[in-house]
Amino acid sequence: MSYTLQILGSNAAIAAHHRHQTSQVLTMMQVPFLIDCGEGTQARLKKFKVKSQRIDHIFISHLHGDHFYGLMGLISSMHLYGRKKELNIYGPPGLKEIIAIQLKYSQSSLNYKINLTEWTPGESELLYENVNLTVHSFPLDHRIDCSGFLFREKPKKRRIKKGLLEKDISPLKIIALKDGKDVLDDDGNVLLANDKYTMPPARSCSYAFCSDTKYTESILPYIKEVDLLYHEATFMEDMHDRAEATHHTTTKQAGEIAKKANVNKLLIGHFSTRYKELEPMLAETKSVFDKAELAIEGEVFSVE
Ligand SMILES: [Zn+2]
C-alpha cells in the first residue's frame, strides 16, 4: 500500500510568514483522514483542492486553539454544502461539549450526524479500523491532554510463489497457504509445505503524527520504525529551556527521537513564529537525523 500526506498548515500558535496553523490530510487506501484543524483549515482545503465532503474522519490532538479553531467553521460549511453523511471526530475530552455549546447558542441543527469519540488521556486506544488499516491514539507530554495518532496498515498475508502450484488448485488451499499454514492430506501428511510455496508478506505502511509534546521517549514503542514520522520541532536548540518550559520540542530533540525510533523519514513542523527562515531548523535537525524534511504547507509527501 502507499499513502500520501499533504500539509495544510504547520505554524505554531498564529499564522505568520505565509504559514498557517496545524492541519494535514493523510490519504491511506483512498480514505482521507484530516489530522488537526487549525484556524482557516477549510480555506487551505479549498486552496489545495482537497474535497472536504469526502472527509469522514477528523482527528484532533488537543484543545489548544492552533490545532482545532478551524473545526467549527468546517463543520458549519459541511452543513451549508448539504452534507448528509455522518462525520466521525476523534478528540480530547471536552470537544463534544465545545461543539454542542456552539450549536446550541447559534440555534443551529446540522443536516448530518456527528459521531464524536473522546479518546482517553494517558492511554493508547484503537480509535478507528477498516479492513485495511487501524488508527491508534498514544499519549504525548504537553501542557494539556494531548494525543499522537498512529496509522498503520494491517499485516498482509503471505505471498504465493509464482509457477509452483498446480493450475487447478482449490481456493481453500490457496487461502491456507496465504494464512501461513501447510496444506495437509486426509491422513495429516504435508502435501504443500508453506515455506516452499509462499514468500513473506509485503511490508505494511505506517504513519505517526506527533503533535505538541516535549521530548519524551515514552512514545518510542508507538513510533518505532514507522515509514514517516511527523514530529513537532517548535524551537531551535538554543531555545531548549523555553521548549522545556512550554512542553515543546527542539529541532535536535526531534532528530534524536527519530533516530532512536529508527524511522524511515522525519518531517518537522509546528514552527515558532520567531523563525522566518526554516532552513536553519532543518539543518539543525539533520545534524542529528539526516532523513529529515520540513513540513511545508501545500507539499505532498508520498510513501510507497
Ligand atoms: Zn499545544
Side-chain angles (χ1 to χ4, degrees):
M1 183 182 68
S2 60
Y3 65 81
T4 60
L5 178 75
Q6 180 156 36
I7 307 300
L8 302 176
S10 58
N11 209 50
I14 56 173
H17 316 305
H18 305 290
R19 306 193 301 252
H20 298 85
Q21 295 96 328
T22 303
S23 187
Q24 42 185 259
V25 183
L26 175 75
T27 305
M28 216 173 200
M29 299 296 277
Q30 279 86 52
V31 182
F33 299 97
L34 186 69
I35 308 171
D36 275 350
C37 193
E39 188 185 336
T41 291
Q42 56 174 324
R44 305 277 99 56
L45 288 166
K46 266 213 174 91
K47 179 178 177 187
F48 299 123
K49 300 189 169 45
V50 180
K51 293 198 171 75
S52 58
Q53 296 292 45
R54 278 199 65 219
I55 294 170
D56 297 336
H57 303 280
I58 301 176
F59 294 82
I60 301 293
S61 67
H62 66 304
L63 293 180
H64 281 153
D66 55 334
H67 293 259
F68 90 106
Y69 279 174
L71 183 61
M72 206 60 222
L74 181 61
I75 286 171
S76 175
S77 295
M78 284 174 162
H79 165 78
L80 295 171
Y81 283 125
R83 185 182 180 103
K84 292 278 187 288
K85 60 179 175 168
E86 297 183 0
L87 178 67
N88 304 288
I89 302 175
Y90 312 83
L95 186 55
K96 197 174 197 168
E97 187 184 346
I98 289 171
I99 292 171
I101 212 159
Q102 296 195 65
L103 292 172
K104 178 183 166 190
Y105 284 101
S106 64
Q107 298 184 10
S108 306
S109 77
L110 301 173
N111 289 327
Y112 64 93
K113 185 170 177 244
I114 293 178
N115 303 313
L116 206 143
T117 304
E118 292 184 340
W119 41 257
T120 310
E123 289 185 19
S124 175
E125 295 173 320
L126 174 67
L127 296 180
Y128 169 79
E129 90 176 294
N130 64 24
V131 288
N132 298 312
L133 60 94
T134 55
V135 187
H136 284 84
S137 60
F138 59 91
L140 299 172
D141 187 348
H142 197 39
R143 301 195 301 283
I144 58 173
D145 292 331
C146 190
S147 182
F149 302 111
L150 174 64
F151 297 77
R152 189 180 281 287
E153 187 184 15
K154 287 181 176 174
K156 294 174 180 170
K157 293 188 181 294
R158 292 185 70 81
R159 293 171 292 176
I160 304 287
K161 288 182 186 168
K162 287 210 169 83
L164 294 182
L165 291 169
E166 307 275 333
K167 289 232 163 47
D168 57 352
I169 185 169
S170 79
L172 282 177
K173 287 178 181 163
I174 297 274
I175 289 168
L177 286 170
K178 284 188 168 180
D179 284 343
K181 296 173 191 153
D182 293 328
V183 174
L184 308 176
D185 67 13
D186 292 342
D187 299 324
N189 301 312
V190 175
L191 272 180
L192 304 171
N194 195 282
D195 56 0
K196 185 175 171 195
Y197 293 96
T198 69
M199 298 182 291
R203 51 184 295 283
S204 298
C205 287
S206 51
Y207 172 62
F209 171 81
C210 292
S211 186
D212 294 9
T213 185
K214 69 196 272 189
Y215 177 87
T216 174
E217 293 182 5
S218 63
I219 63 174
L220 286 174
Y222 307 108
I223 65 172
K224 200 165 177 284
E225 293 176 358
V226 293
D227 296 291
L228 184 60
L229 168 68
Y230 169 91
H231 197 288
E232 72 126 292
T234 308
F235 298 107
M236 291 189 68
E237 192 56 32
D238 63 342
M239 299 286 290
H240 189 282
D241 293 347
R242 174 106 178 112
E244 183 78 21
T246 55
H247 285 238
H248 284 299
T249 302
T250 69
T251 43
K252 278 199 173 173
Q253 288 175 324
E256 201 62 50
I257 206 80
K259 191 161 91 179
K260 288 211 162 115
N262 194 27
V263 305
N264 197 41
K265 193 198 243 183
L266 167 67
L267 270 186
I268 56 166
H270 201 260
F271 311 114
S272 166
T273 299
R274 72 182 58 237
Y275 306 110
K276 186 161 189 276
E277 302 300 329
L278 300 178
E279 285 303 324
M281 302 190 87
L282 181 62
E284 210 167 67
T285 304
K286 281 188 162 190
S287 72
V288 179
F289 186 78
D290 190 49
K291 293 180 289 180
E293 289 191 52
L294 297 166
I296 298 286
E297 199 165 305
E299 289 206 358
V300 180
F301 299 88
S302 300
V303 171
E304 298 301 329

